[in-house]
Amino acid sequence: MAINWFKYSAPSTFYGLAGKLVPWFAWPAALLFCVGLYIGFFVAPTDVVQGEAYRIIFIHVPASILSMFIYLIMAAYAALGLIFNTRLSAMMATALAPTGALFAFISLWTGALWGKPMWGAWWVWDARLTSELILLFLYLGFIALQASIEDTRRADRAGALLAIVGSVNVPIIYFSVKWWNTLHQGSTIKFTGTSMHIAMQQAMFTMLVACWLYVIAISLVRVRSIILERERNTQWVKELAEIKQ
Amino acid sequence: MNWAEFFAMKGYGFYVWGSYGVALLVLLLEIVLVRHKRTITLQQLRLMRDVGDEE
């Protein structure tokens, strides 16, 4: 069966598709959050070194991973919009930015609450922490820049450039623990295997998938509002059932 | 294990629940804001339609 993907790159078709997809991501996300937290708090054992405080990683690590991934996806959408002038990809980039900023914030916040009992400091100017803070500022800069330009086409282009240039920061965050002597520990899960207890891995992985699904669901809902706003003068929007009623 | 012991997290309760509490709050706030945005957008579009009808 041949699917015409271009059909779904039209905001008018994507609007309906996105609406149908939302519950398929939102409900599994809610379920997996419950499963992940259950495993994380009731199945996973206490850490020998870090005691109970280590349980913060079940939200800290997924939030941090996603804050980086969302940025790359946002930059990729922005680049697509810039190169091919596709309206929908620019809208997707705009829809992803606030969620990315929130995950970067959660990463920093939970990191501070873990750092205080473990390192004795809420914050240190360590390479990992500093580059993650810059990521948060890049998200906020992207949002502010787009909001400050009245003409949406120009706002998209300016935002896209910022997003693309800023993506250089993502590998810096990722490799910071290898390149520099950081207080932040290196990753426990490597491609070569891990020393982590199996229940801890399951909790972290479940929470990661839950966060992914959440991000997809929330950005689909957000992009639907953006589509309506930007296409408000078109006939298909005027003929929508939710507008006509 | 009783609940008081569970919430105490062996002395790390403030840090653990401070992390999860704020994360939950942030996500719930985002859900409320995104849904609010949709309601507002639809209202505006209906308003635009009504104004258009009068012309």
Side-chain angles (χ1 to χ4, degrees):
Chain A
M1 192 181 77
I3 301 171
N4 184 0
W5 292 104
F6 288 104
K7 188 181 143 199
Y8 289 106
S9 67
S12 51
T13 10
F14 189 75
Y15 177 83
L17 177 72
K20 285 194 199 92
L21 286 176
V22 170
W24 293 95
F25 289 101
W27 290 111
L31 182 74
L32 285 182
F33 270 126
C34 297
V35 174
L37 288 174
Y38 177 79
I39 302 174
F41 279 100
F42 297 105
V43 182
T46 307
D47 188 76
V48 187
V49 184
Q50 304 182 356
E52 301 294 343
Y54 96 92
R55 292 186 200 276
I56 294 173
I57 64 162
F58 299 132
I59 184 70
H60 176 71
V61 175
S64 311
I65 292 177
L66 278 176
S67 69
M68 293 188 278
F69 260 115
I70 295 171
Y71 193 91
L72 291 180
I73 296 167
M74 179 184 94
Y77 270 124
L80 273 178
L82 194 65
I83 299 164
F84 297 109
N85 220 0
T86 43
R87 285 172 297 162
L88 186 60
S89 28
M91 295 184 209
M92 280 303 297
T94 308
L96 282 165
T99 306
L102 286 182
F103 274 87
F105 168 75
I106 293 175
S107 162
L108 292 166
W109 178 269
T110 56
L113 279 165
W114 181 90
K116 186 64 185 166
M118 291 299 134
W119 298 339
W122 299 104
W123 180 263
V124 286
W125 292 102
D126 157 293
R128 178 49 82 74
L129 280 68
T130 309
S131 50
E132 179 74 21
L133 182 66
I134 291 173
L135 183 73
L136 175 63
F137 290 157
L138 280 169
Y139 277 122
L140 298 180
F142 177 86
I143 297 168
L145 181 64
Q146 283 210 320
S148 68
I149 302 175
E150 200 74 38
D151 180 71
T152 44
R153 288 273 165 156
R154 292 189 59 201
D156 283 343
R157 279 203 290 273
L161 282 176
L162 174 67
I164 295 163
V165 173
S167 60
V168 71
N169 186 45
V170 174
I172 296 179
I173 304 173
Y174 185 77
F175 291 111
S176 58
V177 288
K178 284 186 180 171
W179 291 345
W180 296 288
N181 256 322
T182 53
L183 191 53
H184 193 286
Q185 66 198 71
S187 35
T188 310
I189 296 179
K190 302 183 183 73
F191 290 111
T192 47
T194 178
S195 56
M196 213 180 190
H197 190 281
I198 184 78
M200 296 181 189
Q201 289 180 49
Q202 285 168 345
M204 208 150 94
F205 186 71
T206 312
M207 290 294 281
L208 179 65
V209 177
C211 287
W212 253 128
L213 296 172
Y214 170 83
V215 170
I216 298 172
I218 200 86
S219 15
L220 285 178
V221 179
R222 191 181 282 120
V223 85
R224 268 160 63 87
S225 296
I226 297 175
I227 291 175
L228 287 183
E229 230 171 28
R230 293 202 184 180
E231 305 267 299
R232 59 182 177 272
N233 293 321
T234 59
Q235 198 54 36
W236 75 266
V237 169
K238 287 179 184 135
E239 281 165 4
L240 276 178
E242 52 261 55
I243 312 288
K244 273 197 158 175
Q245 73 190 23
Chain B
M1 184 181 72
N2 63 43
W3 286 106
E5 214 174 282
F6 175 75
F7 284 113
M9 282 281 145
K10 295 207 177 81
Y12 293 118
F14 171 74
Y15 304 103
V16 173
W17 303 120
S19 295
Y20 283 94
V22 169
L24 183 74
L25 210 71
V26 166
L27 296 187
L28 287 180
L29 189 73
E30 185 182 27
I31 294 172
V32 170
L33 286 177
V34 164
R35 291 176 73 151
H36 179 70
K37 166 89 177 154
R38 173 153 172 86
T39 316
I40 295 289
T41 311
L42 288 177
Q43 273 175 1
Q44 279 177 340
L45 286 170
R46 284 190 210 115
L47 256 157
M48 268 177 58
R49 174 208 60 191
D50 294 343
V51 171
D53 287 349
E54 282 162 19
E55 280 170 5

